[in-house]
Amino acid sequence: MKHFKNVFELYRLDWQRIFKNPFAFLLIVAMIIIPSLYAWFNIAALWDPYSNTSELKIAVYSADKTASIKDTKINIGDKLIASLHDNHNLGWEFVDSKKELDKGVKSGKFYAGIYIPKTFSADLLSFVKGDIKKPTIDYSVNEKINAIAPKITDKGASTLQETISQEFVSTVSKTVVSEFNAIGIDLDNNLPAITKISNLVLDLNNNLDTIDGYTKEVVDLQGKMPEMKDKLAKANEFIDYLPEINQVTQKVVEVNQLLPQFDRTGELILTLQTKIPEIQNAGTQLAKIDQDFDGIANTLNEGITEANGALSIISDVQKILPDVTKLGEQASGMVSTVKEILPKLKQAFAAIKTAIDSGLNVITNIASTVKEVVSSLQTFIDKAELTPEDKATIKQILNRLSENLTSANALIGNLIDNLTQLQTAAGNQDLAPVIEDLKKVQTALQSLQQKVQKLYDTIDTLTTEQIKQQLTEISNSADTFINAVSVVENAGISDKVDRLITQLSDALDNAGNVLNSANTEIPNIDGLLTSTSGTITTAIAYLQKYQQELPALKQEIHDANTILNGNMDLIIGGINKGADFYKNDFPGIKEHLNKATAFIQNDLPGVESDLTKTLSMVNEKFPDVETALNAASELITNDWPSIRVGIEKAATVVKEQQQNVDLGEIIKLLKADANAESDFLSKPVQMKQHSFYPIPNYGSASAPFYTALCLWVGGLLFSNIASTEFVLSDKDKKRFSKREQYSARMLSFLSVGFFQALIVALGNLYLLHTYTAEKGWFVLMTIFVGLVFMSILYILAAVFGNLGKGVGIILLVLSISGGGGNFPIELSGKFFQMINPLLPFTYAVNLLREPVGGIYWANAWTYITVLLMFGLVIGIFGIIFQPYISVYVKRLHAAVNESKFFH
């Protein structure tokens, strides 16, 4: 107890002496504050260095020449320069030549330079032409000016390269996917017709064997025609020899024996006749395939052509309306002249009807598109927290949606104007309910457009949840808009417009009132035509966006249609004539031949008259049968094989398509969102960053390093100024032991270290306002580090004197480079990695980082334990060995002092 009492008595004596001496007291205060200034100045200077990167001057010059692709002029360099004018991340300086750029970089005027060569656009577009040449950007940097600046400018250049690459991939993929969208829409619209045609081709292919059988029978029958002709010739010869009939009776009997063959031939013809509907159906189905595809291919083109024709008609009528009005005002004798104008006015009325129908169709299409876009945005936002890039993508979509809504709003305004003008011209209020419905549609659309614009203007400042809420409001407004459009669709506008146009046309048809009608109605009609012209122009622009060519009909089907249907009348005519002969004429011939045979055998004298008549009938009909069979045989022999091959090829393609390809899935894929797929192709992977222990600025992050450094510097400075030995009288020297003096002075040093740590900690928090997650722990841990550092430096100075102070300076130098304060120690050399765990500074910096970012206690206790061990081990070493070592240290100092140079 006496030992501790003596230590505290000496400690109190130290501070009594300090307070009695003003200069000593001021020096102590300075020693407490000055180390803090070292930390504060460094932290403030590095508070947020990357916020001032716009001061780093980078020269930019583009020599890029404009390139062409499909009649479109493109200059990527100019676009890049324009975009850099709006980029303030770095200090872009736009120079006038490559020479000026190089000179500025070499002289240090610019930290770096970016040069876009002449062939940049052409090389970038070589991707489309097939002769691919990678475009290059020349980047030069002056690495002598500063160690960090080149790294920042390098990042700017690489970001520029990535932006160009992403934009190129996005543009190309969006164009391709947009084309696929158009193809998918066309296929979807014509899917029922395609399915029907496929089924018809398969049915025809399944009956090819049956058709082959019929064709074979026809060919066989045609092959027997020479035999039949010979026999008929013999019969005719028999007529010539009637006077000698008795001599040729045997020949008549032979003809009679051939009748069964005629029967079989006739039955074959009848059977073939029953198959005529199937042959005709096959031809009809082939013709439908050909006709349907041709009609589909021309439908959209004809619609646009008709709309343009309507515009032309309206323009022509509007040109002559002033003349008509002038005629009506000048003389009533010009009735005939005005009547000549009426047909053109009626044509214009038809154009008005077309414009109104087209406008309504376009509005309906836009209404359905709006809902799809809003739904896709909601799905996209539900995936994850939005990044700035995501918000930029959404803004692009909202901008396009707003443009479509603007077009729709103008179109609705035109329609309202059209209907109002039409109603005024007709002199009634029949369209008033419809106009009110359209105004409700316009009100709903304007409300929707306002909400879309509001989200577009504020999206950068909104959270994801706020964006979702605004999208829900937009979705509800879209539903209101779509419902209002549905009411208009169901209002029977077309019929009402038809009736009003008919009334207006009938009124102008009244020749007796031509001039009166012209004077009264033409101003209204002129306004109506003007508004109609605006509606048609808007509708044409919308339709032309979706115009696509439909696939051509396969050549095999077209050839089969041409061959079969081109000869159908000849085939059917021949079959019908042969069947008619067999059913109507051949029975008589057969009967007569039987009778002739019977007559020859029984009643030969009376057969001459009947035989003459029968042969006359055969001679008359047989050429027709022969012609029909020859035509059918020629068709079967020459054309049927190619027809069959064409049908089989078409059936094979259809079967393969049905087995291997799901046309519905293909359509679904082709109709996918072009913007979403384009965005995916240009940026297929998104980085989702999770920050543990986030620190908002570099100054706060570097505060632990500079705080620990200032505490070591403060302790080192104080140990060099303050004495580690007590000045006592001889009596007191005997009263107080060396260890008691050593311990008391150590307490004085630790008191100064305590206030140094307290001042710098509080200054960080309340003067600089550095970010600290655990402020209380930061103050306590800073004091702990200050006490450990001060104890180490005091013991080194007290035990080893100037030699110990030198060791403190060496430790300071090693701590700055090997403590891992500013850069990860893994980036340093092997020597510094080796000494890193041996330095108390390493654990001090790591400990002070814990309360700044957020304490991970498993690590914090490790750092506390190691620092405590440093302090205890060195402290115990000093208390035990200081009395013994100090004797040798004093001898060393005495020897050095003999030089009269060192103190």
Side-chain angles (χ1 to χ4, degrees):
M1 291 297 294
K2 181 180 178 182
H3 172 73
F4 289 110
K5 182 179 179 182
N6 289 340
V7 168
F8 281 107
E9 184 177 347
L10 288 173
Y11 173 72
R12 186 166 51 253
L13 177 64
D14 258 349
W15 288 102
Q16 286 175 349
R17 290 175 175 177
I18 290 171
F19 287 127
K20 287 180 180 179
N21 189 326
F23 293 104
F25 177 74
L26 290 176
L27 186 60
I28 290 294
V29 172
M31 289 297 99
I32 291 173
I33 296 175
I34 288 175
S36 300
L37 297 178
Y38 175 77
W40 294 341
F41 287 148
N42 279 285
I43 293 171
L46 298 175
W47 187 257
D48 191 6
Y50 298 106
S51 65
N52 297 319
T53 55
S54 59
E55 300 298 324
L56 291 176
K57 293 185 178 181
I58 300 178
V60 182
Y61 174 67
S62 172
D64 189 22
K65 300 297 183 182
T66 300
S68 299
I69 177 172
K70 293 184 178 180
D71 300 327
T72 300
K73 303 292 185 180
I74 296 177
N75 190 307
I76 304 298
D78 289 348
K79 291 184 178 180
L80 188 58
I81 294 296
S83 66
L84 290 181
H85 276 92
D86 298 327
N87 184 310
H88 304 294
N89 294 330
L90 294 170
W92 307 107
E93 295 285 337
F94 303 98
V95 299
D96 297 326
S97 66
K98 177 71 163 55
K99 181 179 180 181
E100 182 181 355
L101 183 147
D102 292 338
K103 181 179 178 181
V105 174
K106 289 181 180 179
S107 66
K109 179 180 179 181
F110 307 120
Y111 283 93
I114 293 176
Y115 168 68
I116 302 170
K118 297 179 180 180
T119 62
F120 187 81
S121 293
D123 291 345
L124 190 63
L125 295 177
S126 65
F127 169 81
V128 179
K129 300 176 181 178
D131 183 18
I132 299 177
K133 296 180 182 178
K134 286 188 177 181
T136 59
I137 295 177
D138 291 343
Y139 168 66
S140 55
V141 60
N142 188 331
E143 297 187 354
K144 179 178 69 175
I145 301 177
N146 187 276
I148 300 298
K151 309 303 178 185
I152 300 175
T153 58
D154 288 351
K155 182 63 177 175
S158 61
T159 301
L160 194 64
Q161 177 192 12
E162 292 172 3
T163 301
I164 295 172
S165 299
Q166 283 187 0
E167 185 66 23
F168 176 73
V169 173
S170 175
T171 302
V172 172
S173 60
K174 183 177 179 182
T175 302
V176 173
V177 174
S178 297
E179 293 298 321
F180 284 171
N181 283 171
I183 295 172
I185 293 171
D186 292 335
L187 286 178
D188 193 20
N189 293 336
N190 293 283
L191 185 57
I194 294 173
T195 302
K196 181 179 179 181
I197 292 169
S198 299
N199 292 334
L200 291 176
V201 172
L202 291 176
D203 290 342
L204 188 59
N205 184 67
N206 292 335
N207 290 293
L208 285 177
D209 291 339
T210 303
I211 297 173
D212 279 341
Y214 297 146
T215 58
K216 184 178 180 181
E217 292 177 358
V218 172
V219 172
D220 290 343
L221 181 59
Q222 195 269 345
K224 294 178 181 180
M225 285 303 296
E227 181 182 354
M228 295 173 65
K229 289 173 68 176
D230 290 341
K231 295 188 178 197
L232 184 57
K234 291 178 180 180
N236 287 325
E237 291 177 0
F238 173 77
I239 295 296
D240 295 335
Y241 292 98
L242 280 178
E244 302 173 3
I245 191 62
N246 290 325
Q247 298 177 5
V248 294
T249 54
Q250 188 60 38
K251 293 182 180 181
V252 176
V253 174
E254 291 175 358
V255 172
N256 189 62
Q257 291 173 350
L258 294 174
L259 287 179
Q261 295 182 19
F262 280 95
D263 276 332
R264 289 193 297 273
T265 303
E267 290 172 358
L268 289 176
I269 294 175
L270 290 177
T271 302
L272 188 59
Q273 188 182 37
T274 61
K275 300 299 182 178
I276 286 176
E278 295 181 13
I279 297 174
Q280 290 176 322
N281 185 42
T284 301
Q285 291 174 357
L286 283 174
K288 285 183 178 179
I289 295 173
D290 201 350
Q291 293 170 0
D292 288 348
F293 271 99
D294 289 340
I296 292 170
N298 294 325
T299 299
L300 188 58
N301 292 334
E302 290 175 355
I304 295 175
T305 301
E306 290 176 2
N308 283 321
L311 269 181
S312 178
I313 291 171
I314 290 174
S315 176
D316 291 342
V317 172
Q318 284 187 303
K319 290 178 181 178
I320 63 175
L321 279 180
D323 295 335
V324 175
T325 305
K326 185 177 180 180
L327 288 171
E329 293 172 351
Q330 290 178 351
S332 61
M334 300 303 292
V335 173
S336 60
T337 302
V338 176
K339 284 183 177 180
E340 294 176 359
I341 307 305
L342 295 182
K344 292 187 177 182
L345 287 174
K346 292 180 180 180
Q347 289 180 335
F349 293 158
I352 293 170
K353 172 64 167 54
T354 300
I356 293 173
D357 290 343
S358 299
L360 291 174
N361 289 334
V362 171
I363 291 171
T364 302
N365 290 335
I366 291 176
S368 61
T369 302
V370 168
K371 188 61 178 177
E372 291 177 3
V373 171
V374 174
S375 299
S376 64
L377 282 177
Q378 289 177 316
T379 303
F380 176 73
I381 290 177
D382 287 339
K383 291 180 180 178
E385 189 70 22
L386 294 178
T387 63
E389 292 78 10
D390 294 334
K391 290 183 178 181
T393 300
I394 294 174
K395 285 186 72 174
Q396 292 177 356
I397 296 173
L398 291 173
N399 186 49
R400 288 193 292 271
L401 178 58
S402 180
E403 290 175 355
N404 286 339
L405 293 176
T406 300
S407 298
N409 186 38
L411 190 56
I412 293 172
N414 287 339
L415 284 175
I416 292 173
D417 190 29
N418 281 8
L419 296 177
T420 302
Q421 295 280 359
L422 180 59
Q423 183 176 254
T424 301
N428 56 47
Q429 296 294 316
D430 290 354
L431 294 178
V434 173
I435 292 172
E436 287 302 317
D437 290 338
L438 278 173
K439 288 181 178 179
K440 292 178 181 178
V441 171
Q442 189 173 40
T443 300
L445 185 145
Q446 290 171 347
S447 174
L448 172 61
Q449 189 174 14
Q450 289 174 356
K451 292 177 180 178
V452 170
Q453 189 63 41
K454 177 183 176 183
L455 179 57
Y456 177 84
D457 293 336
T458 61
I459 189 170
D460 292 330
T461 61
L462 299 179
T463 64
T464 301
E465 287 301 320
Q466 290 172 330
I467 294 174
K468 288 181 179 179
Q469 292 175 1
Q470 290 204 22
L471 272 179
T472 301
E473 295 178 4
I474 291 173
S475 179
N476 294 335
S477 295
D479 289 336
T480 302
F481 171 57
I482 292 170
N483 292 335
V485 172
S486 298
V487 171
V488 173
E489 284 183 312
N490 298 326
I493 295 178
S494 182
D495 293 337
K496 293 178 180 179
V497 170
D498 269 341
R499 288 195 297 271
L500 284 184
I501 289 177
T502 300
Q503 292 174 14
L504 194 57
S505 178
D506 291 343
L508 291 175
D509 278 337
N510 187 347
N513 295 321
V514 169
L515 291 177
N516 292 334
S517 297
N519 291 329
T520 304
E521 302 297 338
I522 284 174
N524 295 329
I525 292 173
D526 186 40
L528 175 60
L529 294 178
T530 299
S531 61
T532 301
S533 178
T535 302
I536 294 177
T537 301
T538 305
I540 288 174
Y542 186 82
L543 290 174
Q544 286 177 336
K545 290 171 62 180
Y546 298 97
Q547 186 178 25
Q548 285 290 324
E549 293 182 4
L550 297 177
L553 181 62
K554 295 189 176 185
Q555 191 62 40
E556 290 84 354
I557 296 177
H558 179 73
D559 291 342
N561 173 49
T562 302
I563 294 170
L564 184 57
N565 288 293
N567 297 280
M568 184 66 70
D569 292 341
L570 183 60
I571 296 171
I572 301 303
I575 293 173
N576 286 332
K577 288 181 179 180
D580 182 62
F581 171 79
Y582 179 74
K583 290 187 293 184
N584 300 323
D585 301 328
F586 185 72
I589 295 173
K590 181 179 179 181
E591 181 182 357
H592 290 302
L593 284 175
N594 286 330
K595 289 180 179 181
T597 301
F599 176 77
I600 290 170
Q601 293 175 347
N602 301 310
D603 302 308
L604 183 57
V607 78
E608 181 178 353
S609 176
D610 293 335
L611 185 55
T612 301
K613 181 179 179 180
T614 300
L615 287 176
S616 177
M617 293 176 62
V618 172
N619 288 327
E620 180 183 354
K621 298 295 183 181
F622 195 84
D624 295 336
V625 174
E626 182 180 20
T627 301
L629 285 174
N630 287 337
S633 178
E634 182 180 358
L635 172 65
I636 292 169
T637 303
N638 299 328
D639 298 330
W640 172 246
S642 61
I643 295 174
R644 180 185 177 92
V645 170
I647 293 172
E648 288 175 341
K649 286 184 179 179
T652 300
V653 172
V654 171
K655 289 178 181 178
E656 290 178 354
Q657 179 266 323
Q658 291 179 343
Q659 291 174 357
N660 302 323
V661 179
D662 188 341
L663 193 56
E665 289 298 322
I666 292 177
I667 292 172
K668 181 179 178 181
L669 176 63
L670 292 176
K671 292 174 67 178
D673 189 327
N675 292 315
E677 291 191 1
S678 171
D679 180 66
F680 175 80
L681 290 173
S682 62
K683 294 180 288 184
V685 178
Q686 291 184 343
M687 177 71 74
K688 186 176 183 181
Q689 180 176 340
H690 299 279
S691 297
F692 295 101
Y693 314 117
I695 301 174
N697 53 69
Y698 187 82
S700 298
S702 64
F705 171 75
Y706 288 108
T707 299
L709 189 61
C710 88
L711 292 176
W712 187 274
V713 170
L716 186 63
L717 184 64
F718 191 71
S719 66
N720 277 274
I721 293 178
S723 174
T724 58
E725 296 184 356
F726 262 96
V727 177
L728 299 172
S729 64
D730 293 337
K731 179 181 178 181
D732 289 336
K733 287 181 180 179
K734 295 178 179 179
R735 180 183 170 192
F736 300 106
S737 68
K738 290 289 185 181
R739 285 191 177 89
E740 289 172 349
Q741 295 176 38
Y742 170 85
S743 300
R745 183 55 56 91
M746 183 176 184
L747 285 178
S748 297
F749 269 69
L750 290 177
S751 297
V752 173
F754 171 84
F755 284 106
Q756 285 179 340
L758 181 64
I759 292 297
V760 70
L762 294 177
N764 287 354
L765 296 176
Y766 300 108
L767 289 179
L768 300 182
H769 300 287
T770 59
Y771 173 82
T772 304
E774 304 285 350
K775 294 183 179 180
W777 283 110
F778 177 73
V779 174
L780 292 176
M781 290 179 179
T782 303
I783 292 172
F784 173 70
V785 170
L787 294 176
V788 171
F789 280 5
M790 185 61 81
S791 67
I792 292 172
L793 291 167
Y794 169 76
I795 292 168
L796 288 174
V799 175
F800 298 104
N802 288 337
L803 182 62
K805 296 174 185 178
V807 172
I809 295 174
I810 293 172
L811 289 176
L812 173 63
V813 174
L814 293 177
S815 296
I816 294 174
S817 55
N822 276 330
F823 294 96
I825 192 60
E826 290 78 7
L827 302 180
S828 301
K830 294 297 182 182
F831 171 76
F832 298 105
Q833 294 182 32
M834 180 185 68
I835 66 172
N836 175 263
L838 305 177
L839 298 172
F841 189 81
T842 300
Y843 304 96
V845 172
N846 290 339
L847 178 62
L848 294 181
R849 283 174 175 158
E850 292 294 324
V852 171
I855 298 177
Y856 184 72
W857 281 107
N859 291 341
W861 282 117
T862 300
Y863 306 143
I864 292 171
T865 302
V866 173
L867 287 172
L868 193 61
M869 291 298 296
F870 271 113
L872 289 176
V873 170
I874 295 176
I876 293 172
F877 172 83
I879 291 173
I880 294 175
F881 295 104
Q882 190 271 341
Y884 306 107
I885 296 176
S886 61
V887 176
Y888 298 101
V889 171
K890 286 180 180 180
R891 291 177 184 176
L892 178 63
H893 285 174
V896 171
N897 288 335
E898 290 179 357
S899 67
K900 307 301 180 180
F901 188 80
F902 299 101
H903 63 77

